[in-house]
Amino acid sequence: MTVLKTSVFVLDCAEPEPLARFYAELLGAATGPAPGDGELILVTDDSGAVALGVRRDPNHVTPSWPAPEGPQQAHLRILVAAEALDEAEREAVALGARPLSAEEDGSRPDDRTTLRRFSDPAGHAFVIAAVHEAPAAHGADR
């Protein structure tokens, strides 16, 4: 018998509340404490599905990526319809994301037609990637 499981991608940072709000606004989601885990804030969509978690780590060191001497570690990939890529970039920047140039992250400048690279307010890497079909929403229509 397989044990029922769920997973959540967790970002560690020094100040989890503002980072959780950043991702909630960027993803059109909400934040709340994880049941039974006072250290974890969950970012959830309208159906209650967990998009990611944010956890306080007072000793957190911001990733050095895209600096060549530092690995990217992990990154979040946010999927949007191809025609919404520019608008999604504007939303991310307005919420506090820092765009990363092709020179900073080692990519080709022509990659910007299909994805945009950013660091969130706590320095974690994420990309907004264009898909040819609109991404499926979990739960209710938005």
Side-chain angles (χ1 to χ4, degrees):
M1 181 170 118
T2 302
V3 175
L4 182 61
K5 300 174 187 77
T6 189
S7 62
V8 61
F9 183 76
V10 177
L11 296 172
D12 292 339
C13 64
E15 297 295 330
E17 295 83 2
L19 189 61
R21 284 192 304 272
F22 167 82
Y23 278 110
E25 288 184 39
L26 183 63
L27 298 172
T31 64
D37 187 343
E39 295 295 313
L40 185 62
I41 299 172
L42 298 178
V43 178
T44 58
D45 70 10
D46 291 340
S47 71
V50 175
L52 64 106
V54 182
R55 184 178 81 61
R56 182 180 312 280
D57 177 358
N59 300 315
H60 175 72
V61 176
T62 301
S64 61
W65 182 87
E69 65 275 4
Q72 181 175 350
Q73 298 176 358
H75 72 277
L76 179 64
R77 182 169 291 249
I78 299 169
L79 306 177
V80 300
E83 64 273 7
L85 187 59
D86 290 337
E87 182 179 352
E89 178 177 26
R90 286 189 296 274
E91 287 177 356
V93 170
L95 291 169
R98 184 176 73 84
L100 300 174
S101 69
E103 294 78 28
E104 287 179 287
D105 67 18
S107 65
R108 297 180 316 273
D110 59 335
D111 284 346
R112 284 192 47 80
T113 60
T114 58
L115 64 92
R116 311 287 165 82
R117 292 173 174 82
F118 303 88
S119 63
D120 69 22
H124 302 104
F126 74 97
V127 299
I128 298 176
V131 293
H132 294 292
E133 294 181 21
H138 299 286
D141 293 333
R142 296 188 221 211

